[in-house]
């Protein structure tokens, strides 16, 4: 019996061609394939293919940016920063060697505010995602910049007429689309004033927060105006997790709250807000993750030196999917020798979980990168002279999208 000849690759549909391109080993191979013909370029540069290509590979981690706690929150001051390089990839290391991770190239501003202890003229770090930093400055915190420390380019923006100028209560988050480098800046403040800036349109748009409220079981009501509760409950800036932005509650800092950890979440795909209650006690370290293989929104938490993965069940409750100890022989040894007691979960992305293992007595710590597929862990030492126990941001190199054949290869996002 004669076998039918294999179909020529030109006869393959775009969907099947996309599946083949997803199996190329790296971005350079995908870029080379995109030059084969116009059809291949169209499929290879499709945002859906690009997102899946990025998600199937190890995220290009460059390092970790650490902040101190200080006497005032970062919304009022510029925190002390420390950067830990954390890559063994020579290409990433070379690209990041001259990165402006402390945003020293950004212009300062001459401030008229002379109040002692407030660095109004300095840029203050508010968020990090997709190779970009979100910064603010001035008394009202409404001068914003989205900065790429590798290319040293910035987009400057200001939400005029959106938020009140008399307060510092706007809480921000930045979410970057890895497929094309576009970004959203989300801010909310008192009285549910909420707006989103899109780099695609260059405009701020007010969005409906639909009166997201805490239940009586979560909040001990002291005031008549419930509008205050979003700010009082979620007093820090937001964190990106895939298509989600989330804000942690201040449960441990507020004496009038019951010990329930709540999380304010915005799904940037639908622009829907929600408040979810964590399935673990307040005070445990955790992060939100965007994991399509587990239905989307998931949680990673740490309990002592164990890592837990929580997923949603069919009725919207939380189910403990995985629970495993991180204490290998090395961690057991270092825990005793250097009083390494706390595991802080920083982020989860593309099957990798990023954590910090820090000492309760010393300034040093270790960053852990766990591959959830192989359960292998990479370790990067952090040896500062002073402790940095404020927020920590993993910094990833943003993959450049594939430009069209007629597009300028030297375009920079610089305003």
């Amino acid at each position: 019996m004669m076998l039918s000849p294999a179909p020529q690759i030109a006869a393959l549909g775009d969907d099947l061609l996309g599946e083949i391109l997803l199996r190329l080993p790296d971005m350079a191979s995908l870029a080379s394939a995109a030059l084969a013909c116009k059809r291949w370029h169209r499929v290879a540069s499709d945002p859906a293919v690009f997102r899946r290509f990025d998600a199937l590979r190890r995220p290009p981690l460059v390092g970790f940016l650490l902040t101190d706690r200080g006497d005032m929150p970062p919304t009022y001051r510029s925190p002390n920063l420390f950067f830990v390089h954390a890559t063994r990839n020579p290409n990433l290391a070379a690209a990041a060697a001259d990165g402006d991770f402390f945003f020293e190239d950004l212009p300062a501003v001459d401030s008229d505010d002379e109040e002692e202890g407030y660095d109004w003229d300095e840029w203050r770090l508010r968020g990090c995602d997709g190779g970009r930093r979100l910064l603010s400055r001035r008394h009202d915190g409404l001068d914003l910049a989205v900065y790429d420390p590798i290319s040293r380019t910035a987009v400057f923006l200001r939400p005029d007429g959106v938020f009140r100028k008399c307060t510092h209560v706007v809480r921000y988050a930045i979410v970057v689309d890895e497929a094309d480098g576009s970004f959203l800046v989300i801010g909310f403040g008192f009285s549910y004033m909420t707006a989103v800036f899109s780099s695609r349109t260059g405009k701020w748009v007010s969005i409906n927060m639909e009166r997201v409220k805490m239940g009586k079981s979560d909040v001990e009501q002291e005031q008549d105006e419930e509008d205050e509760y979003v700010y009082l409950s979620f007093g820090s800036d937001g964190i990106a997790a895939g298509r989600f932005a989330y804000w942690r509650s201040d449960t441990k800092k507020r004496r009038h709250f019951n010990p329930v950890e709540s999380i304010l979440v915005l799904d940037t795909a639908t622009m829907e807000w929600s408040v979810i209650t964590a399935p673990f006690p307040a005070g445990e370290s955790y992060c939100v993750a965007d994991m399509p293989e587990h239905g989307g929104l998931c949680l990673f938490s740490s309990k002592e030196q164990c890592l837990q993965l929580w997923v949603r069940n069919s009725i919207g409750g939380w189910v403990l999917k995985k629970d495993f100890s991180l204490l290998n022989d090395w961690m057991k040894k270092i825990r005793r020798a250097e009083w390494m007691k706390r595991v802080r979960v920083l982020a989860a992305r593309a099957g990798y979980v990023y954590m910090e293992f820090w000492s309760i007595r010393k300034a040093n710590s270790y960053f852990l990168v766990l591959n959830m597929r192989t359960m292998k862990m990479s370790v990067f030492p952090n040896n500062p002279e002073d402790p940095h126990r404020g927020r920590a941001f993993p910094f990833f190199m943003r993959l450049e999208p594939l430009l069209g054949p007629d597009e300028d290869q030297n375009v920079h996002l610089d305003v």
Side-chain angles (χ1 to χ4, degrees):
M1 182 178 68
M2 296 184 60
L3 298 176
S4 350
Q8 295 183 355
I9 195 166
L12 297 177
D14 286 358
D15 291 343
L16 187 54
L17 177 59
E19 292 295 326
I20 293 173
L21 294 178
L22 285 173
R23 286 158 174 77
L24 293 174
D26 50 40
M27 181 56 67
S29 301
L30 183 65
S32 297
L35 297 177
C37 63
K38 290 184 177 180
R39 177 171 175 255
W40 281 41
H41 186 278
R42 185 184 73 251
V43 174
S45 58
D46 184 283
V49 173
F50 193 92
R51 290 189 187 96
R52 288 186 62 197
F53 189 90
D54 183 30
L56 290 172
R57 281 147 185 84
R58 179 166 184 157
L61 176 70
V62 175
F64 297 88
L65 184 72
L66 308 184
T67 66
D68 66 343
R69 284 204 175 106
D71 299 328
M72 295 179 293
T75 49
Y76 292 87
R77 69 181 184 92
S78 179
N80 294 321
L81 304 176
F82 189 80
F83 189 78
V84 179
H85 290 268
T87 179
R88 299 186 178 99
N89 183 314
N91 295 326
L92 287 179
D98 195 37
D100 182 22
F101 294 108
F102 306 116
F103 32 91
E104 295 173 338
D105 274 3
L106 281 180
V109 59
D110 294 329
S111 174
D112 295 329
D113 298 296
E114 301 293 339
E115 190 171 350
E116 185 177 354
Y118 288 72
D119 298 327
W120 303 128
D121 60 335
E122 294 188 17
W123 289 102
R124 306 190 287 277
L125 181 64
R126 308 300 296 270
C128 180
D129 188 42
R132 305 283 178 80
R133 300 279 169 79
L134 176 63
L135 312 169
S136 73
R137 68 179 181 184
R138 290 193 186 273
H139 181 279
D140 54 21
L142 297 182
D143 273 357
L144 300 174
V146 176
Y147 188 52
D148 184 337
I150 303 299
S151 64
R152 297 174 183 251
T153 56
V155 174
F156 300 98
L157 52 142
R158 184 177 173 86
D160 288 320
V162 178
F163 303 111
R164 297 174 185 171
K165 297 182 180 181
C166 60
T167 64
H168 289 79
V169 298
V170 180
R171 303 308 182 207
Y172 293 107
I174 180 172
V175 177
V176 176
D177 188 336
E178 294 283 355
D180 59 10
S182 64
F183 60 85
L184 300 175
V185 175
I186 306 108
F188 76 90
F190 279 132
S191 302
Y192 297 86
M193 293 183 299
T194 309
V196 175
F197 175 87
S198 170
S199 65
R200 292 172 180 168
T201 64
K203 297 179 180 179
W204 286 91
V205 176
S206 297
I207 61 176
N208 183 12
M209 206 167 176
E210 294 189 354
R211 312 296 293 176
V212 175
K213 297 178 181 178
M214 305 293 295
K216 290 184 178 180
S217 61
D218 297 331
V219 178
E220 181 179 331
Q221 299 185 8
E222 286 192 316
Q223 305 177 30
D224 293 331
E225 294 195 16
E226 296 180 53
D227 287 353
E228 302 291 325
Y229 290 145
V230 167
Y231 167 67
L232 292 176
S233 302
F234 306 96
S236 59
D237 287 312
I239 305 172
R243 75 176 193 271
F244 300 102
Y246 69 98
W247 288 258
R248 297 169 174 164
S249 67
D250 292 338
T251 302
K252 296 290 287 184
K253 300 177 183 178
R254 305 285 178 176
R255 61 187 179 90
H256 296 297
F257 279 81
N258 290 328
V260 175
E261 183 69 23
S262 299
I263 311 166
L264 177 66
V265 179
L266 173 65
D267 185 339
T268 62
T270 62
M271 286 299 166
E272 293 182 355
W273 293 88
S274 61
V275 175
I276 61 177
T277 299
F280 39 78
E284 291 191 13
S285 175
Y286 69 92
C287 76
V288 172
D290 184 4
M291 304 181 71
E293 65 271 29
H294 293 301
L297 188 116
C298 301
L299 299 173
F300 279 97
S301 66
S302 67
K303 183 178 181 180
E304 296 179 347
Q305 285 85 40
C306 293
L307 186 65
Q308 298 178 327
L309 169 61
W310 300 86
V311 302
R312 294 278 192 157
N313 59 19
S314 58
I315 59 174
W318 291 106
V319 176
L320 183 59
K321 183 73 173 181
K322 294 183 180 180
D323 182 6
F324 48 88
S325 173
L326 298 170
L327 285 177
N328 54 26
D329 291 340
W330 174 83
M331 287 188 69
K332 290 178 181 178
K333 179 180 179 181
I334 205 71
R335 183 181 64 164
R336 292 190 299 267
E338 300 187 26
W339 289 86
M340 294 289 166
K341 300 295 184 181
R342 304 288 179 84
V343 174
R344 178 165 56 161
V345 185
L346 305 179
R349 174 177 169 176
Y352 290 82
V353 183
Y354 302 85
M355 299 165 283
E356 185 182 14
F357 191 34
W358 57 273
S359 172
I360 61 175
R361 293 190 176 183
K362 300 181 180 181
N364 65 306
S365 64
Y366 294 87
F367 290 102
L368 314 177
V369 181
L370 178 66
N371 185 333
M372 292 290 292
R373 300 183 184 93
T374 65
M375 300 309 297
K376 293 183 178 179
M377 191 161 59
S378 301
V379 179
F380 301 94
N382 167 33
N383 299 305
E385 296 181 357
D386 300 312
H388 289 75
R389 297 292 181 249
R391 287 180 59 181
F393 302 86
F395 183 85
F396 302 96
M397 183 83 75
R398 186 177 68 84
L399 298 178
E400 293 294 335
L402 299 177
L403 298 177
D406 298 326
E407 293 184 69
D408 185 356
Q409 301 291 322
N410 295 315
V411 171
H412 292 282
L413 188 61
D414 192 359
V415 175

